Amino acid sequence: ADADATRRDFFKGVASTAVTAGLLFTQPPPAIAKTKGVVVVAPPSSPLNGIYSDPNHPKGYRVVRVADKTAAVVTLQDEPKGPIISVNGKVKTNKKIGTTLTLDLSPKGGPKDVVALLDGDKLAFPDGNAWTRLTGIDGIYSDPNHPAGYRVVRSTGSKINVTLQDDPAGEVIELLGKRKGGGYAVDFSAKGGPKNLAVAVEEGRLVFPDGNAWTKL
């Protein structure tokens, strides 16, 4: 009951003051790896990471990817043929309230400081709307071969869309895959790889024939 009252008070405060409250978001430090002698920082694991559905845009998607301890990138598409928009987010936490994500929705024609509260598998907004994090193969993955990059995997029926970037300054590449047996076959030709690379789906991992595995963040 106390927790519910605290959450209600939080959203009342957002509506009345439009000011985000919170302390520094605490989480395990991001993994550090070395590539050719250069230290690189892997994307952090975070309960915010994931692919979300929005009941206001049931055919679209929202990708939340935490870039570091205080920043996130949110990619949105309202309709399958609509524009894809990326907005910045600020991550904070408060011991009483929990983790919040403040979004700058001005590129989408909205306000600059919309505050969403992480509530289990949902991101709850002051207007009552809530995004729900998808389960299964959908999610943000890390690749040990490219520790500073990321992989975003979204499923649409029997197909998957993979968006990847090997390092922060690298090219963003889009791949397509389709269900094959108990896993998927992904066309990596846009990245210089084979057209039908088999991908096995395990709990929290995508495993490739060479032994490499992407791990869900």
Side-chain angles (χ1 to χ4, degrees):
D2 291 343
D4 291 340
T6 301
R7 293 175 188 275
R8 286 195 298 271
D9 291 341
F10 167 76
F11 281 126
K12 286 179 182 177
V14 170
S16 61
T17 65
V19 175
T20 307
L23 304 175
L24 183 66
F25 175 59
T26 57
Q27 61 182 31
I32 296 177
K34 287 187 177 181
T35 303
K36 295 182 180 179
V38 178
V39 176
V40 293
V41 180
S45 178
S46 166
L48 285 168
N49 280 326
I51 316 298
Y52 292 77
S53 62
D54 180 349
N56 289 343
H57 302 281
K59 294 182 180 180
Y61 65 85
R62 280 83 177 93
V63 177
V64 178
R65 181 173 58 83
V66 175
D68 58 39
K69 289 182 179 180
T70 61
V73 178
V74 179
T75 304
L76 315 93
Q77 187 180 39
D78 291 346
E79 300 289 339
K81 293 184 179 180
I84 298 173
I85 300 171
S86 289
V87 301
N88 295 321
K90 296 177 182 177
V91 181
K92 295 185 179 180
T93 199
N94 180 290
K95 288 184 178 179
K96 287 186 177 181
I97 297 170
T99 301
T100 61
L101 178 64
T102 303
L103 298 177
D104 176 6
L105 293 178
S106 57
K108 198 174 181 291
K112 278 191 139 184
D113 296 304
V114 178
V115 184
L117 176 67
L118 182 64
D119 185 9
D121 64 347
K122 296 182 184 297
L123 274 171
F125 290 83
D127 64 357
N129 188 32
W131 300 352
T132 301
R133 187 168 56 244
L134 302 178
T135 58
I137 194 174
D138 292 80
I140 316 295
Y141 292 78
S142 63
D143 180 349
N145 289 342
H146 302 281
Y150 65 86
R151 279 83 176 96
V152 175
V153 179
R154 290 189 303 107
S155 64
T156 52
S158 62
K159 299 179 181 180
I160 57 172
N161 298 82
V162 180
T163 304
L164 55 82
Q165 187 179 37
D166 289 347
D167 61 76
E171 179 186 5
V172 176
I173 299 174
E174 302 283 345
L175 309 177
L176 295 175
K178 57 185 179 181
R179 192 180 298 279
K180 185 176 181 179
Y184 290 85
V186 179
D187 182 358
F188 273 84
S189 58
K191 199 174 183 294
K195 289 196 71 170
N196 290 289
L197 187 63
V199 181
V201 181
E202 298 183 357
E203 184 65 29
R205 299 200 315 161
L206 297 179
V207 183
F208 295 85
D210 63 357
N212 187 33
W214 297 353
T215 301
K216 201 171 190 178
L217 296 173

